[in-house]
Amino acid sequence: MSLKERCPVIEFKDLGDERGKLVVIEGNESIPFAIQRVFYIYGSDSTVVRGQHANRESEFVLINVAGQSKVRITDGHEEFVVELNRPMMGVYIPKMVWKDMYDFSSDSVLLVLASTHYDGSEYIRDFDKYIEEING
Ligand code: TYD
């Protein structure tokens, strides 16, 4: 399976009506895991690169609920960039995939849904070590 196939862009259902938009994300339904943690990143700007890690245990879905940002996704072999610019779209990041988030608009609010509680020890923050680990 290609990296893009492993990290699909997910379009969420819009339950909006004339009163406004409504997007619902249900664990194990609209995304492939049960949600254990939610965090969001805002106040970053176009000079900042965040992420820069892979996770041994966690899966994520990233959604720009406001503004926009880009996510560079790589497994050391393939690489692609997703522009997150609509509250109705997200990108799924499985375990052991490296991601960098950058080019944040000043109004960017990047919502992250995670499959685990936080455990700093499952983060790989050194790219060379990441490549070593995936190559076994
Ligand atoms: P970091 O992983 O560097 O953020 P990002 O991947 O978004 O660039 O996290 C910044 C700090 O916040 C770091 O000290 C770890 C802490 N943190 C938690 O305590 N819990 C969490 O769920 C997350 C994502 C980070």
Side-chain angles (χ1 to χ4, degrees):
M1 214 192 272
S2 72
L3 183 64
K4 265 193 177 175
E5 286 167 331
R6 291 172 58 215
C7 306
V9 168
I10 304 172
E11 294 290 337
F12 302 115
K13 259 193 226 143
D14 172 20
L15 305 179
D17 55 29
E18 65 287 350
R19 296 168 301 166
K21 304 281 191 193
L22 174 66
V23 176
V24 179
I25 301 166
E26 296 201 49
N28 282 332
E29 291 190 9
S30 22
I31 63 170
F33 57 81
I35 300 161
Q36 295 271 18
R37 176 167 47 120
V38 173
F39 55 96
Y40 40 94
I41 295 168
Y42 63 99
S44 294
D45 64 28
S46 60
T47 67
V48 166
V49 182
R50 301 201 57 131
Q52 300 187 285
H53 44 59
N55 294 72
R56 297 185 184 93
E57 301 299 336
S58 299
E59 301 163 63
F60 300 97
V61 168
L62 277 58
I63 305 152
N64 256 102
V65 293
Q68 51 194 297
S69 70
K70 293 188 182 114
V71 195
R72 185 185 307 110
I73 299 170
T74 184
D75 61 1
H77 301 286
E78 298 172 65
E79 176 181 311
F80 69 102
V81 173
V82 177
E83 184 162 347
L84 296 172
N85 52 15
R86 287 180 292 117
M88 277 182 284
M89 74 172 285
V91 63
Y92 170 65
I93 316 262
K95 295 176 195 179
M96 289 303 282
V97 168
W98 188 274
K99 63 267 179 216
D100 302 318
M101 295 88 86
Y102 61 104
D103 262 4
F104 296 92
S105 60
S106 56
D107 60 346
S108 171
V109 181
L110 179 59
L111 176 70
V112 182
L113 311 176
S115 65
T116 60
H117 292 290
Y118 183 70
D119 171 7
S121 69
E122 62 109 8
Y123 279 68
I124 308 171
R125 293 179 180 274
D126 179 314
F127 191 74
D128 293 339
K129 188 164 192 304
Y130 165 67
I131 296 296
E132 265 174 38
E133 282 200 29
I134 51 172
N135 290 336

